[in-house]
Amino acid sequence: MEYDAFSKSITAAEPPQDLNQYALSLWWDAKGDWQQAHTIIQDMEDINAAWIHAYLHRKEGDTGNAGYWYNRAGKKMPQSTLQEEWKEILQSVL
């Protein structure tokens, strides 16, 4: 799926069927359902999941927990906006 198609899908009630777990988590986050986004990603152990997990905790305002997950993802906490980071993550996992 391309970024533009993904962005348009956010207006739908349900996510597209062909999303991977990373994109699905970001889809729910974009819909305003932080809990669903977190539930999808929390038990995944790879670097992309850690990055999304970090982003979600940064968005939540839990910078200590976010820092832990950024470290697991091999990244530093960004200075960018949450929207910029969301887009960067999404483009890397689509």
Side-chain angles (χ1 to χ4, degrees), residues 35-89:
Q35 189 61 48
Q36 181 66 15
H38 187 261
T39 298
I40 291 166
I41 216 70
Q42 73 181 350
D43 293 327
M44 297 174 70
E45 297 288 331
D46 61 87
I47 291 171
N48 284 330
W51 188 12
I52 295 168
H53 207 153
Y55 157 81
L56 289 170
H57 283 293
R58 177 178 171 228
K59 183 174 186 177
E60 177 189 35
D62 186 352
T63 56
N65 202 357
Y68 167 81
W69 288 103
Y70 281 116
N71 188 50
R72 293 223 17 209
K75 298 189 175 290
K76 293 185 184 231
M77 194 172 307
Q79 299 299 311
S80 62
T81 67
L82 289 166
Q83 290 177 326
E84 290 167 337
E85 184 180 16
W86 181 90
K87 184 176 181 179
E88 180 183 356
I89 299 169

Side-chain angles (χ1 to χ4, degrees), residues 10-26:
I10 295 168
T11 62
E14 295 295 324
Q17 295 295 315
D18 60 344
L19 295 180
N20 61 45
Q21 293 299 96
Y22 313 113
L24 183 61
S25 176
L26 293 169

